[in-house]
Amino acid sequence: MTVDVKGFFDPETGTVSYVVSDPATSRAAVLDSLLSFDPKSGRTSTACADAIVAFVRDAGLTVDWLLETHVHADHLSALPYLKRQVGGRTGIGANLPAVQKAFKDIFNVERDFHLDGRQFDRLFADDETFLVGTVPSRVFLTPGHTPACVSYLIGDAVFVGDTLFMPDSGTARCDFPGGDAPTLYRSVQRLYALPPETRMFICHDYQPGGRPPAFETTVAEQRARNIHINDATTEEAFVALRIARDRTLNMPVLILPSVQVNIRAGEMPPPEDNGVTYLKIPVNRL
Ligand SMILES: [Fe+2]
């Protein structure tokens, strides 16, 4: 079944959010929404999320789902804001608790913080199915970049998060807590087993060589041309390349604010006794 897909590219973080809709019922899912955050002032902005809200309203869509492909380390999620504006149930992969546990001590989260993923309405297990309107949809656990990464196959389109970038950009890093390059290779093989014509939408684009933003490809194109994992790439070769490259990468600018918010499904930590919310910077921990 062919779904309508609208991508929203944020040049600040290179993130792509999506609205995916069923043309027959005008029911929709929003994937990987974004709350802008200025680390210099500590201010948030809903400008990116508001573009999604405006699109949903103009197109007359009803939002069934607010989905995340993983706990992002480069931007804050706008889940709570979007839920208030357009509704929908939140969902993420069933391995979310692994990420919550990995960061619990780093951020010394409050004693009553739940490490079972209950901050989300739904934790999707591998191969679990759901509907967007009348469109059959399926979840694949695709760990590697993080332990809780999932991909969503919605009709004829698969949303792979950071499992793969565009063919000219390869794959995402595997050096965050719980990341693992061999695991990522195997996750990619699962995606490559989908029908070759499957449309594939990626979650980040860093515009190599200054080319315009791009975020739609196909399984066939990735298998033929992805510079990190194509049909000719062995697991050994990929793992060596990925580990060498990860050694050269700096931490994303927003990793500290992002992760402590995103493990809470986009909610801020509880305010202190003066009513102000603070985000923490753990010193010498990452
Ligand atoms: Fe990511």
Side-chain angles (χ1 to χ4, degrees):
M1 277 175 93
T2 305
V3 286
D4 291 335
V5 179
K6 168 77 176 166
F8 297 81
F9 179 73
D10 171 40
E12 289 272 307
T13 62
T15 303
V16 193
S17 307
Y18 293 99
V19 176
V20 191
S21 55
D22 171 15
T25 62
S26 294
R27 301 196 78 96
V30 178
L31 283 95
D32 292 323
S33 64
L34 180 149
L35 180 73
S36 300
F37 181 76
D38 176 6
K40 301 187 290 299
S41 64
R43 286 215 160 258
T44 62
S45 155
T46 59
C48 291
D50 285 332
I52 290 177
V53 172
F55 176 82
V56 163
R57 290 191 179 143
D58 287 350
L61 301 176
T62 304
V63 175
D64 287 339
W65 293 104
L66 301 169
L67 304 174
E68 296 284 307
T69 54
H70 61 296
V71 173
H72 297 277
D74 68 316
H75 69 267
L76 280 64
S77 164
L79 285 177
Y81 179 74
L82 278 181
K83 196 167 196 174
R84 285 195 300 276
Q85 295 295 318
V86 297
R89 298 175 69 206
T90 58
I92 197 168
N95 288 335
L96 168 65
V99 178
Q100 292 177 319
K101 284 169 195 149
F103 285 99
K104 156 186 168 281
D105 292 330
I106 292 174
F107 290 115
N108 192 28
V109 295
E110 65 277 12
R111 214 170 280 250
D112 58 356
F113 180 80
H114 295 288
L115 298 167
D116 57 5
R118 71 176 71 175
Q119 298 83 357
F120 283 78
D121 297 322
R122 179 97 171 250
L123 295 182
F124 289 106
D126 196 23
D127 268 334
E128 208 171 325
T129 56
F130 63 103
L131 288 171
V132 177
T134 55
V135 178
S137 305
R138 177 178 294 274
V139 177
F140 299 94
L141 300 194
T142 46
H145 168 57
T146 78
C149 288
V150 290
S151 299
Y152 298 99
L153 179 65
I154 303 176
D156 66 330
V158 66
F159 298 84
V160 299
D162 289 356
T163 307
L164 286 157
F165 292 152
M166 289 301 281
D168 62 0
S169 304
T171 57
R173 63 197 301 170
C174 292
D175 60 338
F176 294 151
D180 185 61
T183 305
L184 181 66
Y185 182 88
R186 284 170 226 143
S187 292
V188 167
Q189 299 311 313
R190 266 191 96 185
L191 295 172
Y192 283 2
L194 288 169
E197 66 278 11
T198 308
R199 291 188 289 159
M200 183 182 282
F201 293 89
I202 55 116
C203 184
H204 284 107
D205 187 56
Y206 301 111
Q207 303 178 255
R211 66 148 170 71
F215 38 83
E216 177 177 357
T217 177
T218 62
V219 168
E221 212 180 319
Q222 292 282 28
R223 287 178 58 175
R225 278 192 282 282
N226 187 284
I227 58 168
H228 290 176
I229 306 181
N230 54 57
D231 279 352
T233 314
T234 63
E235 180 175 326
E236 266 184 326
F238 168 69
V239 169
L241 176 145
R242 189 66 266 169
I243 290 172
R245 183 161 160 70
D246 287 348
R247 286 203 185 103
T248 69
L249 300 175
N250 289 322
M251 281 290 143
V253 176
L254 293 180
I255 185 170
L256 293 171
S258 298
V259 172
Q260 59 192 300
V261 168
N262 294 342
I263 58 171
R264 303 166 189 272
E267 296 286 357
M268 292 287 167
E272 295 197 3
D273 56 10
N274 60 357
V276 178
T277 295
Y278 294 84
L279 294 172
K280 292 180 182 176
I281 298 179
V283 175
N284 295 330
R285 283 304 309 272
L286 276 198

